[in-house]
Amino acid sequence: MKTVPHYIGGKRVEGTSGRSADVFNPATGEVQAQVPLASKSELDAAIENAKAAQPAWAAMNPQKRARVMMKFVDLLHRDMDKLAEALSAEHGKTFPDAKGDVIRGLEVAEFCIGAPHLLKGEFTEGAGSGIDIHSVRQPLGVCAGITPFNFPAMIPMWKFCPAIVCGNAFILKPSERDPSVPLMLAELMTEAGLPDGILNVVHGDKEAVDGILDHEDIMAVGFVGSTAIAEYVYTRGCAAGKRVQCFGGAKNHMIIMPDADMDQAVDALIGSGYGAAGERCMAISVAVPVGEETADKLVEKLAPRVESLKIAPYTAGDDVDFGPLVTQDAYNRVKGYVDAGVKEGASLVVDGRDFSLQGYEDGYFMGACLFDNVTKDMSIYKEEIFGPVLSTVRAKTYEEALDLAMSHEYGNGVAIFTRDGDTARDFSSRINIGMVGVNVPIPVPLAYYTFGGWKRSGFGDLNQHGPDAFRFYTRTKTVTSRWPSGTKEGAEFVIPTMN
Ligand code: NAD
C-alpha cells in the first residue's frame, strides 16, 4: 500500500506515531494510500527544525527569496498535468477543474514574486530636528497553515507562498483526505531552491492541529475549513497569543432579477452550483429568483440542464461535468440533507439520489439535485450541504431577496444577476458579504486582491492573499533615529515632542 509521508527538513519522513488514515479513491471507494497522522512529538520535531532554519532564510535578501517563487512557478507549469492527475485521483474533481485548482494557487505564487516591493517600509526624513523615522516589515518566525480537502493545491499555496516569501518558515497541515499534492508542492519548492526546513508538511488530525495551536514557537496560524473548526482554531489559537485567521463555511446566494439575462443566469447556476460536485466554498447553493414569473422561468430552464449533467470519474474525459464526492461520509451527509429537504416540504424537482454508474457502484457519486420552494426555516437552507444540491428560494421583491442573503449566518460570497446598474450598485453597497459578483457567479478575487468572507464565514481581521497576506505574515517595526550632529546635548527630562 502506498504511503504519503510527512516532509520535514527537506526530506520525506515516514510517520512514527503508529496512527494513520485511509486515503480513498472516491470513484471506486477503494483505499489507495495511507497517510500517517503525526503525534505531538513528531510535530514538535518539525517545528524545531523550522525554527532553526528560519533566521538564515529571513536574512536572505527579498529578491533572492522572490526568485525561489519565480522558479516554483516554472516548476508548477512543468508538472501541471502530474499535479492535476494526483489531485483528481484523491479528490475526485475533473481533470480541467484540478488544473484550475493548481492555477489559482500558482497565481498567488506569481503575486509573491513582487515581495521586494510589497515588503518595502516607510520613511520620513527629518521628522524632528535631525530625526528620521522608518518602518520595516519583518517576518514572524514559524507560521502554520491548516487546510481543507476541497482545494488541496490552491489553499496550501495561498498559505505558504506569502508566508515563506516574507521570510517565515512554515508548517503545513493539509487535509488528511487528499494529502499527495501538498507533499508534491513542498518537493517542488525544494527543487526551486528553498532551503531545507522552511516548508514542512506534517499530516495529521486534531492531535496535530492542537499541537500547532498550543506550541509557543508557532507565531501565526492560517486555517481554512468548516465553520465549527474555524471558530475552534481561532479561539484556541488567539487564547495562546497567536495571530490567527480562519475561513469557514458558506451558503452563497445568487439573486436573479426579473430583468436578468435568463440564459446567462442558468449557465451561471449550473457551473457554480454543480461544478466540483458543489464542494466549493464559493459554490452557489441558493438561487433566489425575484418574482413568480422569474422563478417559474428559471426552474423550467434549470431542470433539464440539471438532469443532463455528465457525472463520471475524471478518467472518463474532459467533458465530465463533475465527479464523486470525496468520501462515504460526505455522500451520506449530502444524501441526508436531500432526504431532510423532502421531509421538510421542499419540492425536489430533480432527484439525483438514485444515481449510479456502472462499474463504479462503490464510488461516492451523487446525482445532481434541484429543489424549488425552499423556505428560510428548512435545514437545507440554513446549513451548508457541500454537495451537488441547489435550493431555490422564491422572493417577491428585491428587498426580500437582499434581506435573505443579509440575514443568513454565512457571508462568504454572493451574486446578483441583473441588467440594471442601479440595482447592482445598491446591492454591492448594502450587502454584508465579503465577495460580491455582479453577473459573475463565483466572484473569487484574483491573487492581487484579497479573499475573505464576513459573518460566520471568516474569523480574524485580515483576508487571504493579496496585500493582506503580506500584512498577516509580517509585523511592523518602527525605528526612530538621530545621528550625532557633532554637538553633544545633555540629558533630556521632558518627553520629546516633534514641535
Ligand atoms: P474540515 O473543517 O473538516 O477540515 C479542515 C481542516 O481541519 C483539515 O486540515 C482537518 O484535518 C482539520 N480538522 C478537522 N477536524 C478537526 C478537529 N476536530 N480539530 C482540529 N482540526 C480538525 O473541512 P473540510 O471538510 O476539509 O473542508 C470543507 C469546508 O471548508 C467547507 O465547510 C467549506 O466551505 C470550507 N472552505 C472554506 C473556504 C473559505 O475560504 N472560506 C475555502 C475552502 C473550503
Side-chain angles (χ1 to χ4, degrees), residues 278-292:
E279 290 175 323
R280 288 182 183 142
C281 68
M282 288 295 275
I284 295 288
S285 48
V286 184
V288 188
V290 174
E292 284 299 312

Side-chain angles (χ1 to χ4, degrees), residues 147-150 173 176-177 209 223-226 248-249 281 384 451:
T147 55
F149 82 87
N150 68 324
K173 205 304 285 170
E176 62 279 31
R177 290 179 233 164
V209 171
F223 171 93
V224 179
S226 55
C281 68
E384 181 181 47
F451 180 110

